[in-house]
Amino acid sequence: MKLASVALSALAISLASPALADDHQITATAEATYPLTPQGAADWVAMVEKDMFDFSVEYGRVLWINSTYIIHDSDQLAAKYGAQATEKSVKYANEAAKYAQVAGLDPEVARKLDILRNGIVMPAPVRDGAATELNEIATKLGSAYGKGKGTLNGEEINGSDIEAEMGDLDRTPAEKAEMWTSWHDNVGAPMRDDYQRMIAIAGEGAKELGFDDLGAMWRSNYDMSPDQFAAETERMWQEVKPLYMALHTYVRGKLNEKYGDEVQAATGPIRADLLGNMWAQEWGNIYPLVAPAGAGDIGYDLTELIEQKDLDEVEMVRVGEQFFSSLGFEPLPETFWQRSQFVKPADREVVCHASAWDVDNVDDLRIKMCIKRNADDFKVIHHELGHNYYQRAYNQQDYLHLNGANDGFHEAIGDMISLSITPEYLVQIDMLDRAQVPSADKDIGLLLREAMDKVAFLPFGLMVDRYRWQLFDGTIPAEGLNKGWNDLRLEYQGIVPPVERDETKFDAGAKYHIPGNVPYTRYFLARILQFQFFKAACDQAGWEGPLHRCSFYGNEDVGKNLNAMLEMGASKPWPDALEAFTGERQMSGKAMAEYFAPLKAWLDEQNAGKTEGW
């Protein structure tokens, strides 16, 4: 599920443009028109915001057409506007770095300058040829990943198919090891030298923008020093680590029962390829292997309830809208229903991956889905609408503040809404008879299934950027590129490769976000924040039962408090936004621990006498 805000500051632009390798003339012109004074900086920022606002609306329409009418011409238009967006981001980031050095800046102007100069993930230095080289390497790596293939029983298999096969419980350990090894060898290893060259160039660019290294630049987006942010994420991890450790111990035991000591020992780390996912980041595919007896029958089937109600695809979205209306939010604009893509058209190719859009940065809200009448898409609809209501709530903010309070907030809001689809909520909207509400003895199975994805993901979500931060600052040396990755995988996840690895490999490159240069800590933050938001809403609603059964449907006080946070967008430091809804100024894993507390107690019982850790 993707947020498709077309605010240029949120476009996740990762490349520097070759067209701006020599930007001295542009910079000189800007300084002549907008002098390096506090007022000059303020005027320059105002000019930039107007330019970016106007451009983003047109670019947003081009992207929408390209996503919903995939043809040669729409591809060409998207590429053209994408190049222009990159050029603007590079130009404005480099100019913002100069204005940021001006003494006596208005704090609001200083904040916007930081947003601009932090807006490029992989900055190129201004020397001739650097941007071109960086762009070429990044394009090469992206193409290599997209074309990547592994093998299964000696036959070539593409990326999406090999991911599906890794989750097939009928595949043998030998087949899983073959798929894991071939994917990492064929995709990651050839990237090793190019990746190191790319991050060296980007590191040079980050220093030109005033940062110690590229990792410090990435960590400077969180309203605190880079070191403080690293410490904060580690603190959150420690709050939820006991839950992960209990889950790891339990799952390891089940894998040992399934495969025996020769494949998976009863103690120590887990073999990475046995967890149902190429990167061992989510374990839900092997839930049938670890499910408690009788956990499959929860008393109702949401897909069947949708069929019984005879809800079509648009009516499913209307149900989601009603959730927000019950909290006091205004209905979605009529244009939402006219312009959104709800089902896959029969006459053309489209991007079906679910996403939420605000095309004009005001009220042209849309979702783009290929809805199926099932439980998964019912939840996705609620999630995507969470993005849309967030977008509309902050639409009065200045252009550079049209975003979440930090990059974890937007996804967390959508996920918090998805957590709200509880049996109690289904009763309240007349989709489930109260007599069908699952009894408490079904809770463990439900919580375990959820934990296999949400809890299992936590250490992976943290260590992907931990790895890159250490590469960027030299803590992991170039000659230890692969060892550094696998050492952190062992330290945080307690997993090991199925075969020996050496420094001819680059296992990290086999994960899309590494060659794709997508910062990853946002996903860790979203997993933590969604539970913090959910608990705050349930507390405000006066919910007294177990947290995982809470429903705050129909509570306008919750809606009012939630809107107070949403409408701030990125205009204030994220602790201010967090406090507006939760009353807390620290992101915390304590709510997640409370949500899964019944599961933790059950896991501890199952793990009695077993060795925890690795």
Side-chain angles (χ1 to χ4, degrees), residues 77-115:
L77 281 170
K80 173 186 173 182
Y81 276 82
Q84 292 177 20
T86 303
E87 289 176 7
K88 286 180 183 293
S89 71
V90 175
K91 178 177 71 172
Y92 291 149
N94 281 293
E95 292 176 359
K98 293 180 172 61
Y99 285 108
Q101 303 303 313
V102 174
L105 288 172
D106 178 86
E108 183 68 18
V109 172
R111 180 174 177 79
K112 290 179 177 179
L113 291 170
D114 281 343
I115 291 171

mmCIF file of all heavy atoms in Angstrom, residues 77-115:
data_model
loop_
_atom_site.group_PDB
_atom_site.id
_atom_site.type_symbol
_atom_site.label_atom_id
_atom_site.label_comp_id
_atom_site.label_asym_id
_atom_site.label_seq_id
_atom_site.Cartn_x
_atom_site.Cartn_y
_atom_site.Cartn_z
ATOM 1 N N LEU A 77 5.631 10.603 -21.163
ATOM 2 C CA LEU A 77 5.289 11.804 -20.403
ATOM 3 C C LEU A 77 5.767 11.687 -18.959
ATOM 4 O O LEU A 77 6.312 12.638 -18.384
ATOM 5 C CB LEU A 77 3.775 12.042 -20.430
ATOM 6 C CG LEU A 77 3.217 12.677 -21.702
ATOM 7 C CD1 LEU A 77 1.692 12.622 -21.692
ATOM 8 C CD2 LEU A 77 3.699 14.114 -21.841
ATOM 9 N N ALA A 78 5.567 10.512 -18.366
ATOM 10 C CA ALA A 78 5.992 10.318 -16.976
ATOM 11 C C ALA A 78 7.501 10.450 -16.858
ATOM 12 O O ALA A 78 8.013 11.041 -15.896
ATOM 13 C CB ALA A 78 5.529 8.957 -16.469
ATOM 14 N N ALA A 79 8.238 9.915 -17.827
ATOM 15 C CA ALA A 79 9.698 10.015 -17.790
ATOM 16 C C ALA A 79 10.142 11.472 -17.921
ATOM 17 O O ALA A 79 11.058 11.927 -17.220
ATOM 18 C CB ALA A 79 10.308 9.167 -18.903
ATOM 19 N N LYS A 80 9.485 12.207 -18.817
ATOM 20 C CA LYS A 80 9.826 13.614 -19.022
ATOM 21 C C LYS A 80 9.606 14.419 -17.742
ATOM 22 O O LYS A 80 10.482 15.179 -17.300
ATOM 23 C CB LYS A 80 8.982 14.192 -20.150
ATOM 24 C CG LYS A 80 9.137 15.702 -20.336
ATOM 25 C CD LYS A 80 8.148 16.236 -21.377
ATOM 26 C CE LYS A 80 8.197 17.758 -21.439
ATOM 27 N NZ LYS A 80 7.218 18.309 -22.405
ATOM 28 N N TYR A 81 8.440 14.262 -17.138
ATOM 29 C CA TYR A 81 8.147 15.022 -15.929
ATOM 30 C C TYR A 81 8.993 14.534 -14.746
ATOM 31 O O TYR A 81 9.353 15.309 -13.865
ATOM 32 C CB TYR A 81 6.657 14.932 -15.593
ATOM 33 C CG TYR A 81 5.829 15.941 -16.360
ATOM 34 C CD1 TYR A 81 5.429 15.688 -17.667
ATOM 35 C CD2 TYR A 81 5.457 17.153 -15.788
ATOM 36 C CE1 TYR A 81 4.684 16.605 -18.384
ATOM 37 C CE2 TYR A 81 4.702 18.076 -16.488
ATOM 38 C CZ TYR A 81 4.316 17.805 -17.791
ATOM 39 O OH TYR A 81 3.582 18.730 -18.485
ATOM 40 N N GLY A 82 9.305 13.252 -14.722
ATOM 41 C CA GLY A 82 10.169 12.743 -13.669
ATOM 42 C C GLY A 82 11.544 13.370 -13.712
ATOM 43 O O GLY A 82 12.129 13.718 -12.681
ATOM 44 N N ALA A 83 12.071 13.539 -14.928
ATOM 45 C CA ALA A 83 13.375 14.192 -15.077
ATOM 46 C C ALA A 83 13.307 15.645 -14.596
ATOM 47 O O ALA A 83 14.223 16.141 -13.919
ATOM 48 C CB ALA A 83 13.833 14.129 -16.528
ATOM 49 N N GLN A 84 12.207 16.330 -14.924
ATOM 50 C CA GLN A 84 12.050 17.715 -14.476
ATOM 51 C C GLN A 84 11.957 17.790 -12.949
ATOM 52 O O GLN A 84 12.522 18.696 -12.326
ATOM 53 C CB GLN A 84 10.812 18.340 -15.113
ATOM 54 C CG GLN A 84 10.924 18.548 -16.605
ATOM 55 C CD GLN A 84 9.640 19.098 -17.215
ATOM 56 O OE1 GLN A 84 8.803 19.657 -16.515
ATOM 57 N NE2 GLN A 84 9.476 18.920 -18.519
ATOM 58 N N ALA A 85 11.250 16.826 -12.361
ATOM 59 C CA ALA A 85 11.128 16.801 -10.902
ATOM 60 C C ALA A 85 12.490 16.610 -10.251
ATOM 61 O O ALA A 85 12.820 17.247 -9.242
ATOM 62 C CB ALA A 85 10.175 15.681 -10.480
ATOM 63 N N THR A 86 13.298 15.723 -10.840
ATOM 64 C CA THR A 86 14.637 15.486 -10.306
ATOM 65 C C THR A 86 15.486 16.743 -10.411
ATOM 66 O O THR A 86 16.206 17.106 -9.472
ATOM 67 C CB THR A 86 15.301 14.327 -11.070
ATOM 68 O OG1 THR A 86 14.478 13.166 -10.972
ATOM 69 C CG2 THR A 86 16.660 14.009 -10.483
ATOM 70 N N GLU A 87 15.414 17.408 -11.555
ATOM 71 C CA GLU A 87 16.188 18.631 -11.736
ATOM 72 C C GLU A 87 15.828 19.674 -10.681
ATOM 73 O O GLU A 87 16.700 20.321 -10.090
ATOM 74 C CB GLU A 87 15.937 19.203 -13.145
ATOM 75 C CG GLU A 87 16.550 18.380 -14.254
ATOM 76 C CD GLU A 87 16.193 18.918 -15.630
ATOM 77 O OE1 GLU A 87 15.582 20.000 -15.692
ATOM 78 O OE2 GLU A 87 16.529 18.265 -16.625
ATOM 79 N N LYS A 88 14.544 19.835 -10.449
ATOM 80 C CA LYS A 88 14.118 20.821 -9.447
ATOM 81 C C LYS A 88 14.625 20.432 -8.054
ATOM 82 O O LYS A 88 15.102 21.275 -7.294
ATOM 83 C CB LYS A 88 12.585 20.917 -9.430
ATOM 84 C CG LYS A 88 11.994 21.643 -10.616
ATOM 85 C CD LYS A 88 10.475 21.691 -10.518
ATOM 86 C CE LYS A 88 9.860 22.347 -11.753
ATOM 87 N NZ LYS A 88 10.206 23.792 -11.833
ATOM 88 N N SER A 89 14.533 19.164 -7.710
ATOM 89 C CA SER A 89 14.941 18.744 -6.369
ATOM 90 C C SER A 89 16.427 18.974 -6.137
ATOM 91 O O SER A 89 16.850 19.413 -5.067
ATOM 92 C CB SER A 89 14.590 17.271 -6.137
ATOM 93 O OG SER A 89 15.408 16.421 -6.893
ATOM 94 N N VAL A 90 17.232 18.687 -7.167
ATOM 95 C CA VAL A 90 18.676 18.878 -7.044
ATOM 96 C C VAL A 90 19.005 20.361 -6.934
ATOM 97 O O VAL A 90 19.773 20.797 -6.059
ATOM 98 C CB VAL A 90 19.405 18.248 -8.246
ATOM 99 C CG1 VAL A 90 20.897 18.555 -8.183
ATOM 100 C CG2 VAL A 90 19.179 16.745 -8.278
ATOM 101 N N LYS A 91 18.453 21.152 -7.839
ATOM 102 C CA LYS A 91 18.722 22.586 -7.841
ATOM 103 C C LYS A 91 18.332 23.219 -6.510
ATOM 104 O O LYS A 91 19.132 23.944 -5.889
ATOM 105 C CB LYS A 91 17.945 23.264 -8.977
ATOM 106 C CG LYS A 91 18.126 24.782 -9.025
ATOM 107 C CD LYS A 91 17.397 25.416 -10.198
ATOM 108 C CE LYS A 91 15.898 25.405 -10.020
ATOM 109 N NZ LYS A 91 15.192 26.186 -11.068
ATOM 110 N N TYR A 92 17.121 22.923 -6.047
ATOM 111 C CA TYR A 92 16.643 23.565 -4.825
ATOM 112 C C TYR A 92 17.357 23.050 -3.580
ATOM 113 O O TYR A 92 17.555 23.792 -2.616
ATOM 114 C CB TYR A 92 15.131 23.399 -4.700
ATOM 115 C CG TYR A 92 14.341 24.184 -5.730
ATOM 116 C CD1 TYR A 92 13.123 23.724 -6.211
ATOM 117 C CD2 TYR A 92 14.828 25.397 -6.222
ATOM 118 C CE1 TYR A 92 12.395 24.445 -7.154
ATOM 119 C CE2 TYR A 92 14.111 26.123 -7.166
ATOM 120 C CZ TYR A 92 12.897 25.640 -7.633
ATOM 121 O OH TYR A 92 12.190 26.365 -8.555
ATOM 122 N N ALA A 93 17.775 21.782 -3.583
ATOM 123 C CA ALA A 93 18.513 21.255 -2.425
ATOM 124 C C ALA A 93 19.855 21.956 -2.286
ATOM 125 O O ALA A 93 20.263 22.344 -1.184
ATOM 126 C CB ALA A 93 18.711 19.754 -2.556
ATOM 127 N N ASN A 94 20.554 22.127 -3.388
ATOM 128 C CA ASN A 94 21.862 22.784 -3.334
ATOM 129 C C ASN A 94 21.740 24.260 -2.965
ATOM 130 O O ASN A 94 22.550 24.792 -2.204
ATOM 131 C CB ASN A 94 22.578 22.622 -4.677
ATOM 132 C CG ASN A 94 23.212 21.252 -4.846
ATOM 133 O OD1 ASN A 94 24.155 20.903 -4.145
ATOM 134 N ND2 ASN A 94 22.676 20.454 -5.760
ATOM 135 N N GLU A 95 20.730 24.939 -3.478
ATOM 136 C CA GLU A 95 20.532 26.335 -3.107
ATOM 137 C C GLU A 95 20.096 26.454 -1.646
ATOM 138 O O GLU A 95 20.534 27.356 -0.918
ATOM 139 C CB GLU A 95 19.500 26.978 -4.037
ATOM 140 C CG GLU A 95 20.009 27.126 -5.465
ATOM 141 C CD GLU A 95 18.959 27.683 -6.420
ATOM 142 O OE1 GLU A 95 17.822 27.941 -5.976
ATOM 143 O OE2 GLU A 95 19.281 27.862 -7.597
ATOM 144 N N ALA A 96 19.242 25.516 -1.181
ATOM 145 C CA ALA A 96 18.787 25.546 0.218
ATOM 146 C C ALA A 96 19.957 25.389 1.173
ATOM 147 O O ALA A 96 19.981 25.997 2.253
ATOM 148 C CB ALA A 96 17.754 24.445 0.459
ATOM 149 N N ALA A 97 20.940 24.571 0.790
ATOM 150 C CA ALA A 97 22.109 24.375 1.652
ATOM 151 C C ALA A 97 22.847 25.689 1.873
ATOM 152 O O ALA A 97 23.391 25.934 2.968
ATOM 153 C CB ALA A 97 23.044 23.337 1.038
ATOM 154 N N LYS A 98 22.869 26.537 0.868
ATOM 155 C CA LYS A 98 23.535 27.845 1.007
ATOM 156 C C LYS A 98 22.721 28.783 1.900
ATOM 157 O O LYS A 98 23.258 29.435 2.797
ATOM 158 C CB LYS A 98 23.759 28.463 -0.367
ATOM 159 C CG LYS A 98 24.770 27.710 -1.233
ATOM 160 C CD LYS A 98 24.944 28.383 -2.576
ATOM 161 C CE LYS A 98 26.097 27.752 -3.360
ATOM 162 N NZ LYS A 98 25.905 26.333 -3.650
ATOM 163 N N TYR A 99 21.419 28.843 1.672
ATOM 164 C CA TYR A 99 20.577 29.718 2.497
ATOM 165 C C TYR A 99 20.535 29.243 3.955
ATOM 166 O O TYR A 99 20.357 30.043 4.873
ATOM 167 C CB TYR A 99 19.166 29.794 1.922
ATOM 168 C CG TYR A 99 19.059 30.643 0.678
ATOM 169 C CD1 TYR A 99 18.853 30.059 -0.571
ATOM 170 C CD2 TYR A 99 19.188 32.033 0.743
ATOM 171 C CE1 TYR A 99 18.770 30.833 -1.724
ATOM 172 C CE2 TYR A 99 19.106 32.813 -0.400
ATOM 173 C CZ TYR A 99 18.892 32.208 -1.634
ATOM 174 O OH TYR A 99 18.809 32.978 -2.761
ATOM 175 N N ALA A 100 20.712 27.945 4.172
ATOM 176 C CA ALA A 100 20.670 27.410 5.544
ATOM 177 C C ALA A 100 21.811 27.934 6.398
ATOM 178 O O ALA A 100 21.743 27.882 7.636
ATOM 179 C CB ALA A 100 20.698 25.881 5.509
ATOM 180 N N GLN A 101 22.877 28.453 5.769
ATOM 181 C CA GLN A 101 24.025 28.976 6.518
ATOM 182 C C GLN A 101 23.825 30.426 6.969
ATOM 183 O O GLN A 101 24.636 30.965 7.726
ATOM 184 C CB GLN A 101 25.280 28.896 5.640
ATOM 185 C CG GLN A 101 25.594 27.498 5.131
ATOM 186 C CD GLN A 101 25.765 26.491 6.244
ATOM 187 O OE1 GLN A 101 26.463 26.761 7.223
ATOM 188 N NE2 GLN A 101 25.102 25.342 6.117
ATOM 189 N N VAL A 102 22.741 31.061 6.511
ATOM 190 C CA VAL A 102 22.493 32.468 6.846
ATOM 191 C C VAL A 102 22.134 32.592 8.328
ATOM 192 O O VAL A 102 21.302 31.830 8.853
ATOM 193 C CB VAL A 102 21.355 33.036 5.974
ATOM 194 C CG1 VAL A 102 20.983 34.456 6.420
ATOM 195 C CG2 VAL A 102 21.770 33.033 4.502
ATOM 196 N N ALA A 103 22.766 33.545 8.998
ATOM 197 C CA ALA A 103 22.469 33.774 10.418
ATOM 198 C C ALA A 103 21.137 34.509 10.572
ATOM 199 O O ALA A 103 20.771 35.334 9.725
ATOM 200 C CB ALA A 103 23.589 34.583 11.062
ATOM 201 N N GLY A 104 20.435 34.202 11.660
ATOM 202 C CA GLY A 104 19.213 34.933 11.987
ATOM 203 C C GLY A 104 17.985 34.528 11.200
ATOM 204 O O GLY A 104 17.022 35.300 11.103
ATOM 205 N N LEU A 105 17.977 33.315 10.650
ATOM 206 C CA LEU A 105 16.821 32.854 9.875
ATOM 207 C C LEU A 105 15.582 32.716 10.752
ATOM 208 O O LEU A 105 15.671 32.316 11.924
ATOM 209 C CB LEU A 105 17.118 31.493 9.234
ATOM 210 C CG LEU A 105 18.104 31.446 8.065
ATOM 211 C CD1 LEU A 105 18.409 29.993 7.712
ATOM 212 C CD2 LEU A 105 17.552 32.188 6.855
ATOM 213 N N ASP A 106 14.429 33.020 10.192
ATOM 214 C CA ASP A 106 13.171 32.705 10.854
ATOM 215 C C ASP A 106 13.104 31.185 11.037
ATOM 216 O O ASP A 106 13.430 30.436 10.113
ATOM 217 C CB ASP A 106 12.005 33.186 9.990
ATOM 218 C CG ASP A 106 10.664 32.837 10.599
ATOM 219 O OD1 ASP A 106 10.173 33.612 11.425
ATOM 220 O OD2 ASP A 106 10.122 31.760 10.236
ATOM 221 N N PRO A 107 12.699 30.691 12.213
ATOM 222 C CA PRO A 107 12.689 29.237 12.446
ATOM 223 C C PRO A 107 11.869 28.465 11.406
ATOM 224 O O PRO A 107 12.242 27.356 11.025
ATOM 225 C CB PRO A 107 12.072 29.108 13.845
ATOM 226 C CG PRO A 107 12.376 30.418 14.514
ATOM 227 C CD PRO A 107 12.329 31.442 13.424
ATOM 228 N N GLU A 108 10.762 29.053 10.956
ATOM 229 C CA GLU A 108 9.939 28.376 9.956
ATOM 230 C C GLU A 108 10.678 28.263 8.629
ATOM 231 O O GLU A 108 10.632 27.236 7.953
ATOM 232 C CB GLU A 108 8.636 29.150 9.765
ATOM 233 C CG GLU A 108 7.653 28.502 8.803
ATOM 234 C CD GLU A 108 7.080 27.201 9.334
ATOM 235 O OE1 GLU A 108 7.167 26.946 10.556
ATOM 236 O OE2 GLU A 108 6.584 26.413 8.522
ATOM 237 N N VAL A 109 11.392 29.312 8.256
ATOM 238 C CA VAL A 109 12.194 29.280 7.030
ATOM 239 C C VAL A 109 13.308 28.248 7.157
ATOM 240 O O VAL A 109 13.566 27.470 6.225
ATOM 241 C CB VAL A 109 12.777 30.680 6.722
ATOM 242 C CG1 VAL A 109 13.767 30.616 5.560
ATOM 243 C CG2 VAL A 109 11.654 31.666 6.410
ATOM 244 N N ALA A 110 13.955 28.205 8.310
ATOM 245 C CA ALA A 110 15.026 27.240 8.532
ATOM 246 C C ALA A 110 14.496 25.810 8.410
ATOM 247 O O ALA A 110 15.161 24.929 7.830
ATOM 248 C CB ALA A 110 15.652 27.456 9.906
ATOM 249 N N ARG A 111 13.290 25.578 8.926
ATOM 250 C CA ARG A 111 12.696 24.246 8.851
ATOM 251 C C ARG A 111 12.444 23.855 7.393
ATOM 252 O O ARG A 111 12.729 22.725 6.976
ATOM 253 C CB ARG A 111 11.390 24.217 9.646
ATOM 254 C CG ARG A 111 10.671 22.876 9.641
ATOM 255 C CD ARG A 111 9.449 22.891 10.568
ATOM 256 N NE ARG A 111 8.732 21.626 10.503
ATOM 257 C CZ ARG A 111 9.109 20.521 11.131
ATOM 258 N NH1 ARG A 111 10.202 20.539 11.882
ATOM 259 N NH2 ARG A 111 8.414 19.409 11.024
ATOM 260 N N LYS A 112 11.940 24.791 6.618
ATOM 261 C CA LYS A 112 11.663 24.498 5.215
ATOM 262 C C LYS A 112 12.951 24.274 4.427
ATOM 263 O O LYS A 112 12.993 23.431 3.519
ATOM 264 C CB LYS A 112 10.831 25.624 4.609
ATOM 265 C CG LYS A 112 9.399 25.667 5.129
ATOM 266 C CD LYS A 112 8.602 26.810 4.525
ATOM 267 C CE LYS A 112 7.161 26.800 5.003
ATOM 268 N NZ LYS A 112 6.376 27.921 4.438
ATOM 269 N N LEU A 113 13.999 25.019 4.741
ATOM 270 C CA LEU A 113 15.284 24.803 4.084
ATOM 271 C C LEU A 113 15.813 23.405 4.375
ATOM 272 O O LEU A 113 16.378 22.736 3.503
ATOM 273 C CB LEU A 113 16.292 25.863 4.521
ATOM 274 C CG LEU A 113 16.027 27.292 4.025
ATOM 275 C CD1 LEU A 113 16.958 28.280 4.736
ATOM 276 C CD2 LEU A 113 16.215 27.383 2.506
ATOM 277 N N ASP A 114 15.624 22.937 5.615
ATOM 278 C CA ASP A 114 16.042 21.577 5.960
ATOM 279 C C ASP A 114 15.264 20.544 5.155
ATOM 280 O O ASP A 114 15.822 19.540 4.691
ATOM 281 C CB ASP A 114 15.854 21.331 7.456
ATOM 282 C CG ASP A 114 16.972 21.931 8.291
ATOM 283 O OD1 ASP A 114 18.032 22.248 7.717
ATOM 284 O OD2 ASP A 114 16.779 22.086 9.514
ATOM 285 N N ILE A 115 13.948 20.776 5.012
ATOM 286 C CA ILE A 115 13.134 19.848 4.227
ATOM 287 C C ILE A 115 13.643 19.776 2.794
ATOM 288 O O ILE A 115 13.761 18.696 2.203
ATOM 289 C CB ILE A 115 11.649 20.275 4.262
ATOM 290 C CG1 ILE A 115 11.063 20.055 5.670
ATOM 291 C CG2 ILE A 115 10.830 19.496 3.230
ATOM 292 C CD1 ILE A 115 9.675 20.645 5.849
#
